[in-house]
Amino acid sequence: MPPLGSSGELTVGGETAIAIGNPLGTEFAGSVTRGGIISGLERAVDVDLNQDGSPDWTTQVIQTDAAINPGNSGGALINSDGEVIGINSMKIALDAVEGIGFAIPIDDAKPVIEQLETDGEVTRPFIGISAVDLNTVPEQHKQGTLNLDEDVENGVVLAKVQVGSPAEEAGLQKYDVITKINDKEITSMLELKTYLYNNTNIGDEINITYYRDGKKDTTTLKLAEQEEQQ
């Protein structure tokens, strides 16, 4: 296995990128590209995990023109010293586009790797809610159902609070509108999940600002680990 490098020291245009993987399956296993470079850093790419047409996650990635094809995902992106600087993940596949591939920075992948090696699985902090983005709620429901003032424009509306969850224990209820976690303003469920996964840990206490029946309030919630569904 090649040694792990650091994605935090990469430079655009001046860093060689070589992609290793299995494009199109086992027939071409262990293929290696040649002559790629780092085309961009900290690119934000939306990912639709459940294929419902809405993004479920925004990932910060390295852009490269090294050839990345279906089957390369999970393979190593390495530099000229043979160090792993990223994990190949996706590409833009359009007739009008060529040479735009993406890799997860190795500095972001290291904590996940360490957790998998130590625990055999990756755990995430859990609140226990189902919610929709406030900006998708019709105006008549914002005022008639939620009783919100017009100056409350962003947040997430709780559609369901799971029984026995941290959200229920913190006193949150259906139709509450979460607008802030700690000092971070929340404008969408995607933003909420991204903040929790990147900035908090299981067992942390977070401050939640929310509106109920038009009135602003706060509560403290202790993040838990999500239990496996039986």
Side-chain angles (χ1 to χ4, degrees):
M1 176 180 175
L4 300 184
S6 173
S7 51
E9 301 174 358
L10 297 177
T11 56
V12 174
E15 192 88 26
T16 298
I18 302 169
I20 301 176
N22 304 326
L24 306 180
T26 57
E27 182 179 358
F28 300 102
S31 293
V32 180
T33 65
R34 179 176 179 269
I37 61 169
I38 300 299
S39 306
L41 301 172
E42 298 182 353
R43 301 296 200 202
V45 177
D46 291 340
V47 182
D48 181 6
L49 299 174
N50 56 10
Q51 304 299 310
D52 65 352
S54 298
D56 302 292
W57 187 252
T58 298
T59 184
Q60 300 291 327
V61 292
I62 301 167
Q63 180 185 335
T64 177
D65 67 349
I68 295 177
N69 295 293
N72 275 129
S73 295
L77 187 72
I78 65 176
N79 61 18
S80 57
D81 293 325
E83 299 171 328
V84 179
I85 54 175
I87 306 297
N88 302 325
S89 57
M90 66 192 91
K91 67 178 293 184
I92 295 180
L94 297 173
D95 291 339
V97 174
E98 183 177 349
I100 301 181
F102 301 105
I104 299 168
I106 194 61
D107 291 352
D108 292 347
K110 283 177 182 177
V112 177
I113 294 170
E114 292 170 357
Q115 193 170 38
L116 285 171
E117 290 178 339
T118 303
D119 304 325
E121 62 180 356
V122 177
T123 56
R124 300 291 193 186
F126 171 64
I127 289 183
I129 60 171
S130 297
V132 298
D133 299 349
L134 179 61
N135 59 20
T136 67
V137 176
E139 197 63 36
Q140 63 267 29
H141 291 305
K142 289 182 183 179
Q143 297 180 13
T145 304
L146 304 176
N147 292 318
L148 289 176
D149 292 334
E150 292 182 359
D151 59 346
V152 182
E153 299 178 348
N154 295 303
V156 296
V157 183
L158 304 193
K160 181 180 179 181
V161 176
Q162 185 172 317
V163 175
S165 67
E168 185 187 54
E169 293 178 359
L172 294 175
Q173 300 176 10
K174 183 178 180 179
Y175 295 145
D176 286 348
V177 181
I178 295 176
T179 58
K180 186 181 291 187
I181 296 180
N182 293 333
D183 294 325
K184 169 66 176 176
E185 292 187 359
I186 300 299
T187 64
S188 66
M189 273 300 290
L190 175 57
E191 198 166 76
L192 183 149
K193 288 187 291 186
T194 301
Y195 178 80
L196 287 181
Y197 293 172
N198 291 341
N199 298 278
T200 68
N201 297 295
I202 295 168
D204 287 354
E205 288 191 347
I206 59 174
N207 296 318
I208 292 182
T209 302
Y210 66 97
Y211 285 81
R212 177 178 297 166
D213 200 26
K215 297 180 180 179
K216 187 177 181 180
D217 204 348
T218 60
T219 186
T220 301
L221 182 152
K222 185 174 182 178
L223 296 170
E225 178 182 346
Q226 185 168 12
E227 296 181 358
E228 293 185 6
Q229 299 295 322
Q230 300 297 325

